[in-house]
Amino acid sequence: MPTSLRLYPTAASWAACLASVSLFVLSGCASWAPLEPVAVIQRAESAMGGAGVKTLRFAGSGTGATFGQAWQPGMAWPKITVSSFSRLVDYPNAAMRQEAAVSRAEPSGGGALPLMGLGEQRTVGMLQGNWAWNMVGPAPVAVPVALDARIHDLWTTPHGVLKAALKNKATASTRTVDGKSYTTLTFTEPGRFEATAYVNADNLVERIDSRQPHPVMGDTDSVIVFSGYKDYSGVKFPGRIRQTMGGSDILDLQVSEVQVNPANELTAPELVRQFAESVAVEKAAEGVWFLAGGSHNSVLIEMKDYAVLVETPLYDGRS
């Protein structure tokens, strides 16, 4: 009659088994340890040479589109040709100067561009702190409606997004897009926009997804992709910048020039700082008021316990 043999582990073998299990568990915990966002930002700034960047100017040319001016619903924004484009950013001063010369590339669509075949429109847009203005010849003209977009443009540059992520205590994670792995930094610029920056294996900012408010479109998604990084005296900057808004192309820029830490004096003029909305009130009927005084108009209707404002244009300050 066969006999069965049972083996009982010794104390030593139990100890070895527990040690192996403990090492396995610890290695698993290490692989799931949360990323430290400050370390991610520091590695990216080191790779991009961004720690010493206070001001930066880049210029180029390419194509673009007039956002929000599609001539039929669901169509892409009307195309434009961008013959020249430059942006000077000043991070410590939260300031920016953008100059562009654009012309129509197709006849359909709205916007303030010149008509097809009638040359270029040249613009100079400025930002400093919570003031936005345009230069019309030598005169500054306040454009508070552009403030949110310009703050977004300042802090979604390749080096600016790292500084904004640090300032706004970003959270770090990992994400895979089209089979490629990235470390991500997600943050909110209070009251302005929310964003996620994608840092690739070379510690370069390759993409920024963001969402910003718009008075007509509502919360609008933006995707900016940076490629073809080059070295400019120790600072790396992309050779191509491509941006979509609301799912359609808005800018495709080939960068031809980069200046690191150029001198500048971007300060909001007193005329811009003192700007206030003006509302002209005219009675249209009993309990109905026509509100004008700016580029857009509204109608106020008095109800028993509340009022209804029909058309709330431009931005919250005007509304």
Side-chain angles (χ1 to χ4, degrees):
M1 181 176 180
T3 59
S4 59
L5 178 65
R6 293 186 180 181
L7 298 178
Y8 293 91
T10 64
S13 61
W14 268 116
C17 181
L18 288 172
S20 299
V21 171
S22 298
L23 286 172
F24 178 78
V25 171
L26 288 173
S27 64
C29 290
S31 65
W32 287 97
L35 290 168
E36 172 52 52
V38 174
V40 174
I41 294 168
Q42 289 174 341
R43 287 196 297 269
E45 285 209 319
S46 177
M48 294 170 60
V53 173
K54 306 300 181 185
T55 64
L56 188 144
R57 179 184 178 273
F58 63 94
S61 60
T63 59
T66 308
F67 175 71
Q69 296 295 332
W71 67 286
Q72 286 186 1
M75 294 190 70
W77 316 127
K79 297 177 182 178
I80 58 176
T81 298
V82 183
S83 62
S84 67
F85 179 99
S86 68
R87 185 179 290 170
L88 170 65
V89 292
D90 180 343
Y91 298 123
N93 196 29
M96 181 179 74
R97 177 187 178 98
Q98 180 172 298
E99 301 182 46
V102 302
S103 58
R104 281 189 184 274
E106 61 177 319
S108 301
L113 295 170
L115 296 176
M116 192 75 181
L118 294 185
E120 292 184 323
Q121 179 193 50
R122 294 181 176 270
T123 59
V124 180
M126 314 283 280
L127 166 74
Q128 196 259 312
N130 290 320
W131 295 282
W133 71 101
N134 292 338
M135 296 303 299
V136 181
V141 177
V143 284
V145 65
L147 181 62
D148 284 339
R150 290 183 187 173
I151 290 175
H152 174 271
D153 289 344
L154 171 65
W155 298 116
T156 53
T157 50
H159 300 88
V161 75
L162 296 175
K163 299 178 188 298
L166 182 63
K167 176 184 65 174
N168 292 302
K169 296 179 173 56
T171 58
S173 186
T174 57
R175 194 173 301 182
T176 300
V177 179
D178 297 330
K180 190 173 181 179
S181 296
Y182 297 90
T183 303
T184 59
L185 295 163
T186 300
F187 66 92
T188 298
E189 183 70 22
R192 304 298 181 185
F193 65 91
E194 56 189 37
T196 298
Y198 293 72
V199 181
N200 64 22
D202 295 322
N203 291 311
L204 304 176
V205 176
E206 189 173 309
R207 169 174 169 161
I208 303 172
D209 291 355
S210 62
R211 178 170 292 171
Q212 55 184 308
H214 190 274
V216 176
M217 300 288 294
D219 288 347
T220 302
D221 291 332
S222 166
V223 178
I224 308 173
V225 177
F226 306 111
S227 59
Y229 271 87
K230 299 178 182 179
D231 189 281
Y232 297 88
S233 301
V235 173
K236 292 183 179 179
F237 196 83
R240 184 183 183 187
I241 300 173
R242 184 179 179 185
Q243 181 178 6
T244 64
M245 285 186 66
S248 295
D249 287 344
I250 194 73
L251 180 66
D252 191 348
L253 184 72
Q254 299 292 332
V255 177
S256 58
E257 179 186 354
V258 175
Q259 295 173 285
V260 179
N261 290 329
N264 76 93
E265 294 182 0
L266 294 176
T267 303
E270 195 61 31
L271 185 65
V272 172
R273 294 170 181 262
Q274 293 178 355
F275 172 81
E277 286 287 348
S278 174
V279 180
V281 181
E282 180 182 346
K283 187 174 183 179
E286 194 61 39
V288 180
W289 304 86
F290 178 65
L291 308 181
S295 60
H296 293 61
N297 302 321
S298 303
V299 173
L300 181 72
I301 303 172
E302 294 183 54
M303 309 300 284
K304 180 181 178 181
D305 300 316
Y306 56 92
V308 176
L309 190 62
V310 182
E311 294 293 340
T312 56
L314 299 177
Y315 72 115
D316 287 349
R318 175 65 189 175
S319 297

